[in-house]
Amino acid sequence: LFSSIPCTGGSSWTHVNKQHHSAWKKVRQAKAAYNKIWSAFEKVVEVAAACGTFIAIEWPQGCTYWKERKVMSLINRVGLKPVTFHGCQLGIESINPATKGMPIKKPWTIYTNSEGILKRFIKYRCDGSHEHAECRGVDAKNTENYSEKFVQLVHQGFKEDVQ
């Protein structure tokens, strides 16, 4: 079970967006959608965990949802462990014309009970040997799309766990 619930309402950019009425309205709408999705997701996770299913929850490392009591409670109840990694190591690049092709160091976290996922993603932390484009605007929106490498690692990790 892989969770990819939109993080828009919990983005680290919300502190900037709340200064603008129209943007803050969108943030509130995104948070309302997240709350509905999370409520349903919790029910699925409870059943999945009871059946021994492998579970993974993904959001950017700085997403405020990670700190919410209901999220931490679920993580603790089903025994998920974190792995942090960076998008620049997985082929995430800028599409902004000014920085096109530059790697983006999007910091991600996955909480999971999959040892296969934990051991694969831990290897993808930036070593600081290159410059990064800033993850904002069109580039921030584009990083919602997983790279082929990201998807391969998830599939390989889950496959290893079930074999």
Side-chain angles (χ1 to χ4, degrees), residues 101-139:
M102 282 184 71
I104 297 175
K105 186 184 178 180
K106 179 173 182 169
W108 261 305
T109 298
I110 294 176
Y111 270 86
T112 186
N113 59 352
S114 162
E115 290 299 322
I117 287 178
L118 289 169
K119 81 177 189 184
R120 277 172 178 73
F121 279 91
I122 194 72
K123 300 174 187 175
Y124 292 92
R125 292 188 180 161
C126 184
D127 63 6
S129 65
H130 53 268
E131 290 187 39
H132 298 100
E134 192 172 2
C135 189
R136 64 184 291 178
V138 66
D139 281 337

Side-chain angles (χ1 to χ4, degrees), residues 46-62:
E46 296 292 350
V47 172
C51 296
T53 301
F54 294 104
I55 300 161
I57 304 170
E58 170 275 318
W59 278 315
Q61 187 175 356

Side-chain angles (χ1 to χ4, degrees), residues 2-96:
F2 188 87
S3 167
S4 185
I5 298 172
C7 66
T8 311
S11 163
S12 56
W13 285 98
T14 57
H15 69 282
V16 173
N17 292 334
K18 66 178 155 184
Q19 298 173 24
H20 307 282
H21 178 71
S22 63
W24 188 237
K25 183 179 177 184
K26 289 179 183 178
V27 168
R28 286 194 318 268
Q29 290 170 341
K31 283 188 177 189
Y34 148 74
N35 281 316
K36 287 180 183 176
I37 295 168
W38 184 261
S39 179
F41 177 69
E42 275 189 294
K43 293 172 186 166
V44 173
V45 167
E46 296 292 350
V47 172
C51 296
T53 301
F54 294 104
I55 300 161
I57 304 170
E58 170 275 318
W59 278 315
Q61 187 175 356
C63 181
T64 61
Y65 297 158
W66 288 124
K67 296 176 183 172
E68 290 192 4
R69 184 172 295 159
K70 63 186 175 186
V71 173
M72 291 310 301
S73 176
L74 181 71
I75 286 169
N76 291 329
R77 272 196 320 276
V78 297
L80 306 182
K81 299 174 194 168
V83 60
T84 58
F85 53 96
H86 300 109
C88 61
Q89 300 299 297
L90 297 171
I92 303 298
E93 296 179 342
S94 174
I95 61 169
N96 181 325

